[in-house]
């Protein structure tokens, strides 16, 4: 992990997720995400301080543990204020909600109690909304990036847009098979919004610095549409969620072998079904207490 300069006053730290750093003339720093745990947070804090900056604030783009798990340590050791959207705030403050929603709203079993799904809790000091604003003395624009998570935002500053998980690098799309999305309509709007931006640099949390985001968005949109079409064709005959999930995984060469992987894919499949039900492309039917989805004609 090191501090990489992007433009004057904007940096990123490469870890399993890229962490953004925006600084002002007073050498005060604003982080964009924190990495997954205390160990990453300790390295982030050291890099910030070694370079002469004082950490004042942390914007959490969305409440997934790999983005917010380092926040409790950073808040405890620096007193930095935490900023997040109203939608992501409840999960940040009550982190068991992440494995709870994955497990259908029930108390999650042990295999979902690990640092990938269950971060430490952190209080949100201020709820943020999209728009240009001054946070901790840094001029930033909070950009709506709903889709991957319901209340996800990106952060733009000085010609750089931190894109959170709105898009992933084209070269890892095949590895993911079907990228995680909670809200397809939101994701499609976010893709359009990204293509209309005029930043000089774009940094997806899982990807490399790009000067042109259009091909990255194109690859992500293509996989989303391909998945949508695949599921729609599959539902020519009624299928249960379990059958849809298994067929989609097999088609996109995904091999699930643990509960965490299963429930992330389950959430994504539910997002596709939700999108198609709302557009009256498919409907649910009930037979012998079994729910199936099928394509509607016309
Ligand atoms: Zn995420």
């Amino acid at each position: 992990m090191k501090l990489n300069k992007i433009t004057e006053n904007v940096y990123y730290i490469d870890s399993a997720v890229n962490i953004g750093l925006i600084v002002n003339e007073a050498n005060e720093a604003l982080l964009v995400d924190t990495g997954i745990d205390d160990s990453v947070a300790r390295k982030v804090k050291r890099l910030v301080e070694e370079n002469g900056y004082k950490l004042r604030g942390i914007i959490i783009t969305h409440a997934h543990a790999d983005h917010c798990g380092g926040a409790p340590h950073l808040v405890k050791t620096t007193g930095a204020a935490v900023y997040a959207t109203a939608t992501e705030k409840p999960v940040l403050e009550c982190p068991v909600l992440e494995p709870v929603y994955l497990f259908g709203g029930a108390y999650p079993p042990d295999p979902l109690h690990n640092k990938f799904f269950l971060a430490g809790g952190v209080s949100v000091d201020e709820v943020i909304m999209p728009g240009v604003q001054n946070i901790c003395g840094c001029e930033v624009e909070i950009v709506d990036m709903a889709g991957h998570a319901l209340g996800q935002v990106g952060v733009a500053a000085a010609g750089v847009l931190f894109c959170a998980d709105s898009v992933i690098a084209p070269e890892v799309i095949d590895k993911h098979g079907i990228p995680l999305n909670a809200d397809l309509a939101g994701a499609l709007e976010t893709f359009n919004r990204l293509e209309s931006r005029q930043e000089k640099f774009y940094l997806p949390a899982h990807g490399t610095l790009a000067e042109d985001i259009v091909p990255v968005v194109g690859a992500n949109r293509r996989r989303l549409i391909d998945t949508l079409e695949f599921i729609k064709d599959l539902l020519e005959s009624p299928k249960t969620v379990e059958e849809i999930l298994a067929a989609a995984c097999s088609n996109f060469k995904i091999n699930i072998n643990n509960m965490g992987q299963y429930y992330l894919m389950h959430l994504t499949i539910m997002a596709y079904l939700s999108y198609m039900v709302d557009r009256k492309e498919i409907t649910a039917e009930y037979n012998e207490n079994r729910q199936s989805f099928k394509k509607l004609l016309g």
Side-chain angles (χ1 to χ4, degrees), residues 17 61-67 98 148-149 152 164-166 180 205-206:
V17 299
T61 60
H62 64 296
H64 284 169
D66 56 336
H67 293 252
E98 183 178 353
H148 167 80
Q152 178 176 257
D165 290 348
S166 58
L180 174 61
H206 303 278

Side-chain angles (χ1 to χ4, degrees), residues 252-267:
F252 291 101
K253 304 190 171 42
I254 299 161
N255 181 27
I256 292 177
N257 50 32
N258 66 61
M259 196 182 277
Q261 259 184 318
Y262 175 86
Y263 278 104
L264 289 174
M265 188 51 61
H266 184 267
L267 182 148

Side-chain angles (χ1 to χ4, degrees), residues 168-191:
I168 58 176
E171 54 273 19
V172 296
I173 292 178
D174 277 334
K175 193 182 118 203
H176 288 251
I178 306 173
L180 174 61
N181 262 308
D183 169 13
L184 287 204
L188 290 165
E189 277 173 33
T190 292
F191 291 160

Side-chain angles (χ1 to χ4, degrees), residues 102-266:
L102 285 170
F103 205 63
Y107 184 78
D110 269 349
L112 295 178
H113 283 249
N114 61 53
K115 70 174 183 181
F116 299 103
F117 303 103
L118 186 52
V122 68
S123 290
V124 173
D125 296 287
E126 205 172 307
V127 167
I128 47 173
M129 304 222 291
V132 174
Q133 50 215 275
N134 189 299
I135 300 182
C136 296
C138 299
E139 188 79 13
V140 297
E141 182 184 350
I142 302 298
V143 182
D144 181 359
M145 290 200 178
H148 167 80
L150 295 186
Q152 178 176 257
V153 289
V155 181
V160 179
L161 177 54
F162 294 104
C163 309
D165 290 348
S166 58
V167 286
I168 58 176
E171 54 273 19
V172 296
I173 292 178
D174 277 334
K175 193 182 118 203
H176 288 251
I178 306 173
L180 174 61
N181 262 308
D183 169 13
L184 287 204
L188 290 165
E189 277 173 33
T190 292
F191 291 160
N192 294 340
R193 191 171 299 118
L194 269 170
E195 285 172 333
S196 73
R197 300 287 308 186
Q198 300 294 329
E199 268 78 18
K200 195 162 169 16
F201 296 102
Y202 299 85
L203 188 62
H206 303 278
T208 49
L209 196 65
E211 289 189 40
D212 185 3
I213 199 68
V214 173
V216 179
V217 172
N220 280 267
R221 185 192 285 113
R222 206 150 43 240
R223 181 54 55 95
L224 189 155
I225 301 291
D226 286 351
T227 309
L228 204 51
E229 293 302 322
F230 174 81
I231 296 176
K232 214 182 296 178
D233 289 347
L234 186 72
L235 298 184
E236 291 286 352
S237 63
K239 299 278 183 307
T240 63
V241 169
E242 210 71 13
E243 289 168 332
I244 298 164
L245 187 151
C249 285
S250 152
N251 187 66
F252 291 101
K253 304 190 171 42
I254 299 161
N255 181 27
I256 292 177
N257 50 32
N258 66 61
M259 196 182 277
Q261 259 184 318
Y262 175 86
Y263 278 104
L264 289 174
M265 188 51 61
H266 184 267

